Amino acid sequence: MRTGKTGKRNRWAPSVSGFMAFAAAFQVSCLVASAAPVPTAKPADPVSEDYSPTVELVAGVPVPVKKRDVPEGYVANKPKLVLYGDQPARDYFGAATGPAQLKARSIGSYAKGCLAGGAELPTDGPTWQAMRLSRNRNWGHPVLIDYLKDLASDAPKVGWNGLLVGDIAQPRGGPMTSGHASHQIGLDADIWLTEMPNRRLTAQEREDISAISMLIGPMDVKGADRRVDPRKWSDDHARLIRRAASDQRVARIFVSPTIKKALCDFEKGGNRAWLRKVRPWWGHHYHFHVRLSCPAGSAGCKNQNPPPPGDGCGADLAYWLSDEPWVPKNPPKPGEPPKVVKKRPMALAALPNDCRSVLTAN
């Protein structure tokens, strides 16, 4: 009997005989478990069957054996998705790997909404290739996917070999985990200002290749030359954007102010109506951003207000090409890092209520 320094029995120390009895009982229980019969026929109720691993003894030590085969047709129950309104919506929508199997519908506004019944732009077509496939953002409303295929089909007619298509939307739309504030309802698409090559790009090339900027130089320097680079820009670019904007489904096309100026100079004919849809905006010198109007059958989809009258080549564009929007009024001091303003991610509760049904749909 184990005792402490005082000679009294230590109540925490088990006896040797007790330990041996426990070990013998444990060994017997393991032998019984290892001898359990493995079913050879499909059980009547596979959901209730136990497929946890059995055990066997190796040198007296219980170890797990190979897990039992799952019967054909067995489908594990998916855990129910629990939604919390105060959580970032991008976390829910960014995790969705496939579309909501619902009737196609754009819900909400371009920067606050979601997409039901999304369609996937195939990775490759006769005159297009999808880029950045790892992002899983080649989804959109079926009307947008049809539009992109139509534009790609017409691209060679205007001297453009084919489209390289960037981000469209996530499978169920919604806020993205990075990059865009819009592209949430499956009606926005980025088309690179780089022509499709005469070969199929590899998956790695689609991740690594960069689109080509059309700028001749930086925009944020006082007195900067804010034109397109004539070594990169061509009339083929202009003809492609004109074709893209002339489609009745298009509400707007966003381009760099430098590109808008090049398009204003390009159009010498009397029909300048398409230029009204082409709007100058920050960035967009590597690609142009197509935005469609809300399609029929999309209850709750909110269009932007129509662009102002005219071709947009006057005073408004002159402002965009001045120093005013670009040159910082209070630039950081030498050696001082620029200030970064972090925005709070959009909460799920900020989206239309129907977006919850989009998330929970099979």
Side-chain angles (χ1 to χ4, degrees):
M1 182 74 64
R2 180 185 252 177
T3 62
K5 291 183 178 180
T6 61
K8 295 180 180 181
R9 176 182 177 181
N10 185 343
R11 62 191 178 91
W12 300 108
S15 66
V16 173
S17 59
F19 180 83
M20 295 296 292
F22 170 80
F26 180 76
Q27 183 173 0
V28 169
S29 65
C30 291
L31 288 171
V32 171
S34 64
V38 178
T40 58
K42 182 177 179 180
D45 181 13
V47 176
S48 63
E49 188 71 24
D50 180 16
Y51 296 110
S52 58
T54 56
V55 296
E56 65 180 355
L57 291 178
V58 177
V61 178
V63 296
V65 299
K66 183 179 178 181
K67 191 172 182 180
R68 297 176 180 178
D69 292 335
V70 177
E72 182 181 355
Y74 173 79
V75 178
N77 290 329
K78 291 184 178 180
K80 184 179 179 180
L81 178 63
V82 180
L83 303 177
Y84 298 96
D86 60 346
Q87 294 300 305
R90 67 187 183 188
D91 294 346
Y92 292 111
F93 286 95
T97 57
Q101 300 298 328
L102 301 169
K103 181 181 178 182
R105 180 184 168 204
S106 294
I107 302 168
S109 61
Y110 300 96
K112 189 182 290 186
C114 58
L115 172 66
E120 185 178 18
L121 178 72
T123 299
D124 296 301
T127 49
W128 79 80
Q129 296 183 47
M131 304 296 286
R132 304 295 190 261
L133 300 177
S134 64
R135 297 177 181 177
N136 195 26
R137 295 177 179 176
N138 55 322
W139 298 82
H141 191 286
V143 170
L144 176 61
I145 301 304
D146 288 344
Y147 166 86
L148 292 172
K149 291 178 179 179
D150 292 343
L151 179 62
S153 178
D154 285 350
K157 301 175 186 177
V158 297
W160 199 255
N161 190 50
L163 307 181
L164 294 180
V165 183
D167 287 352
I168 305 174
Q170 298 173 141
R172 302 188 186 205
M176 292 188 177
T177 53
S178 64
H180 306 277
S182 60
H183 290 252
Q184 293 194 27
I185 58 176
L187 298 177
D188 296 273
D190 291 341
I191 299 172
W192 286 23
L193 290 166
T194 304
E195 194 171 9
M196 187 187 81
N198 288 318
R199 64 180 180 85
R200 292 296 167 194
L201 298 172
T202 66
Q204 193 60 49
E205 286 175 321
R206 296 178 199 230
E207 301 297 326
D208 297 340
I209 291 176
S210 296
I212 299 172
S213 172
M214 297 291 111
L215 299 182
I216 200 170
M219 301 277 280
D220 58 354
V221 179
K222 190 173 182 179
D225 184 351
R226 298 185 181 97
R227 296 179 299 158
V228 293
D229 189 336
R231 297 167 298 180
K232 302 173 184 176
W233 178 263
S234 70
D235 285 352
D236 290 344
H237 290 86
R239 280 189 283 267
L240 178 65
I241 296 176
R242 179 172 63 184
R243 163 62 185 84
S246 298
D247 194 294
Q248 295 297 315
R249 293 169 284 190
V250 172
R252 274 175 169 77
I253 290 180
F254 298 103
V255 297
S256 167
T258 60
I259 293 176
K260 172 70 176 185
K261 178 65 167 63
L263 295 172
C264 291
D265 295 341
F266 163 78
E267 184 55 80
K268 306 297 185 184
N271 181 18
R272 299 176 68 86
W274 64 274
L275 285 166
R276 180 187 178 191
K277 296 182 181 180
V278 183
R279 311 308 300 176
W281 200 243
W282 310 100
H284 296 90
H285 48 94
Y286 294 92
H287 67 271
F288 63 96
H289 174 165
V290 175
R291 172 170 293 170
L292 300 193
S293 301
C294 291
S298 285
C301 181
K302 299 179 181 178
N303 281 308
Q304 268 185 283
N305 292 329
D311 59 15
C313 297
D316 182 56
L317 181 57
Y319 165 81
W320 276 102
L321 296 173
S322 70
D323 289 345
E324 185 71 16
W326 305 102
V327 180
K329 294 178 175 59
N330 297 306
K333 297 177 181 179
E336 180 183 352
K339 294 181 180 179
V340 178
V341 179
K342 292 185 177 181
K343 292 184 178 180
R344 191 172 184 176
M346 185 181 298
L348 178 61
L351 299 183
N353 288 334
D354 285 353
C355 289
R356 291 174 176 258
S357 300
V358 169
L359 283 173
T360 56
N362 293 329

